């Protein structure tokens, strides 16, 4: 015996505001969360906690203790705890466009795993190191110095995670035959992630251009990364705007008007 359920259309479904019926509404909500997250991220790391630009690896013990025991540092870590969960939304916006490309799924899986690993090492670890140092007064200076080193080495020295992630992103753009994103962005992305390899010497150099606050390791990398991130964001905006509605993977919304409208019919 087979059973079939018929669902009646709901006339009230078309009375919702037009903006709620926009087929890309959910994607645009995710997209506009991105600048809000990066703005909050910048406020936490720069004017609130002064974690960035990075302090010198050669800072004196009193300087390290004063920084690590700052109340602003503790507040910054608390805000970061509440907001770093927005980071996956940023990467999801990129992955959705990579999914439209004529490339293997391995590229988007690499982006997802690389972003997850990078967020843990490059954001979660520093947050706990700096927050732990500011949580309780009375820690011995050597312990604070160790947390200081751990926090900055995790933040600056973990760029290898992002190298693999952005390598997959750049190659996906270059190999894509659907032209979802411009080819020049793929070349720019490859060049940008290659500069992040310069983070490796921070584990060796404590001064000079390859220290974690050095000219090459930090400032040159930031000079390329920040414009690149803005450009990627604008290109993703155009990709979402130009995406045909028939390519959307939104689930179809079906509502029954009332219980009596659902009538099982039996077939022998």
């Amino acid at each position: 015996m087979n059973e079939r359920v018929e669902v009646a259309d709901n006339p009230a479904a078309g009375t919702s505001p037009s903006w709620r019926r926009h087929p890309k509404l959910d994607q645009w909500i995710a997209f506009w969360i991105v600048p809000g997250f990066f703005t909050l991220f910048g406020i936490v790391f720069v004017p609130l906690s002064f974690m960035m630009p990075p302090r010198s690896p050669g800072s004196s013990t009193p300087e390290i203790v004063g920084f690590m025991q700052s109340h602003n540092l503790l507040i910054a870590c608390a805000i970061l705890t509440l907001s770093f969960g927005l980071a996956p939304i940023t990467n999801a916006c990129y992955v959705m466009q990579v999914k439209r490309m004529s490339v293997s799924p391995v590229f988007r899986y690499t982006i997802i795993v690389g972003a997850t690993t990078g967020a843990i090492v490059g954001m979660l670890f520093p947050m706990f190191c700096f927050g732990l140092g500011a949580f309780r007064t009375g820690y011995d200076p050597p312990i604070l110095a160790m947390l200081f080193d751990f926090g900055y080495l995790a933040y600056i020295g973990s760029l290898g995670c992002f190298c693999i992630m952005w390598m997959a992103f750049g190659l996906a753009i270059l190999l894509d035959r659907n032209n979802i994103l411009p080819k020049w962005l793929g070349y720019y992305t490859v060049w940008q992630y290659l500069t992040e390899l310069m983070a490796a010497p921070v584990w060796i150099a404590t001064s000079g251009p390859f220290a974690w606050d050095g000219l090459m390791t930090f400032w040159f990398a930031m000079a390329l990364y920040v414009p690149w991130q803005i450009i990627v964001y604008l290109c993703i905006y155009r990709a979402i705007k130009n995406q045909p509605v028939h390519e959307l993977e939104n689930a179809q919304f079906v509502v029954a008007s009332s219980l009596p409208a659902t009538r099982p019919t039996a077939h022998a």
Side-chain angles (χ1 to χ4, degrees):
M1 180 180 293
N2 298 324
E3 187 175 275
R4 182 178 63 194
V5 179
E6 297 176 356
V7 181
D9 293 335
N10 183 4
T15 61
S16 59
S18 59
W19 63 271
R20 291 186 59 186
R21 297 196 300 270
H22 195 288
K24 298 180 184 178
L25 174 63
D26 47 358
Q27 196 169 184
W28 284 123
I29 291 174
F31 176 81
W32 288 112
I33 287 175
V34 177
F37 166 71
F38 277 115
T39 300
L40 183 61
F41 193 75
I43 291 173
V44 165
F45 272 84
V46 182
L48 182 58
S49 66
F50 296 105
M51 284 186 273
M52 294 293 142
R55 293 164 182 264
S56 171
S59 298
S60 65
T61 298
E63 290 174 336
I64 293 176
V65 172
F67 168 69
M68 293 295 290
Q69 297 273 271
S70 168
H71 292 294
N72 281 5
L73 187 61
L74 195 60
I75 295 171
C77 290
I79 295 174
L80 192 60
T81 301
L82 298 174
S83 61
F84 81 94
L86 297 175
I89 298 178
T90 303
N91 299 309
C93 290
Y94 302 157
V95 171
M96 285 302 297
Q97 298 307 314
V98 174
K99 193 174 182 181
R100 299 173 56 205
M101 298 179 182
S102 62
V103 294
S104 168
V106 71
F107 287 98
R108 60 178 181 266
Y109 295 149
T110 301
I111 294 172
I112 294 172
V113 176
T116 303
T117 307
I120 293 173
V121 180
M123 184 161 55
L124 196 60
F125 280 11
M127 180 193 71
F128 279 118
C129 289
F130 293 130
L132 178 61
F135 178 70
R136 191 188 304 275
T137 58
Y139 282 126
D140 291 337
I143 294 177
L144 293 176
M146 181 188 67
L147 293 173
F148 177 83
D149 290 342
F150 187 4
Y152 274 120
L153 285 173
Y155 187 80
I156 306 295
S158 63
L159 294 181
C161 303
F162 299 102
C163 284
I164 302 301
M165 169 187 172
W166 296 127
M167 177 187 69
F169 184 63
L171 290 178
I173 297 173
L174 294 175
L175 296 175
D176 175 39
R177 292 191 296 264
N178 294 335
N179 296 319
I180 303 300
L181 294 171
K183 298 300 180 186
W184 58 263
L185 181 62
Y187 291 108
Y188 189 7
T189 300
V190 170
W191 170 245
Q192 190 278 138
Y193 86 73
L194 285 176
T195 63
E196 294 185 355
L197 295 175
M198 289 186 293
V202 304
W203 295 91
I204 302 171
T206 57
S207 61
F210 291 103
W212 72 49
D213 65 334
L215 176 64
M216 299 299 294
T217 302
F218 180 76
W219 293 105
F220 179 66
M222 286 295 103
L224 288 177
Y225 172 78
V226 173
W228 170 84
Q229 185 67 76
I230 295 172
I231 291 171
V232 170
Y233 186 66
L234 295 175
C235 290
I236 293 293
Y237 172 85
R238 293 182 60 185
I240 296 175
K241 185 178 179 180
N242 296 331
Q243 182 176 1
V245 174
H246 71 268
E247 288 188 7
L248 298 176
E249 299 180 0
N250 300 7
Q252 297 298 317
F253 181 61
V254 181
V255 180
S257 59
S258 60
L259 289 177
T262 303
R263 298 171 182 171
T265 60
H267 300 276

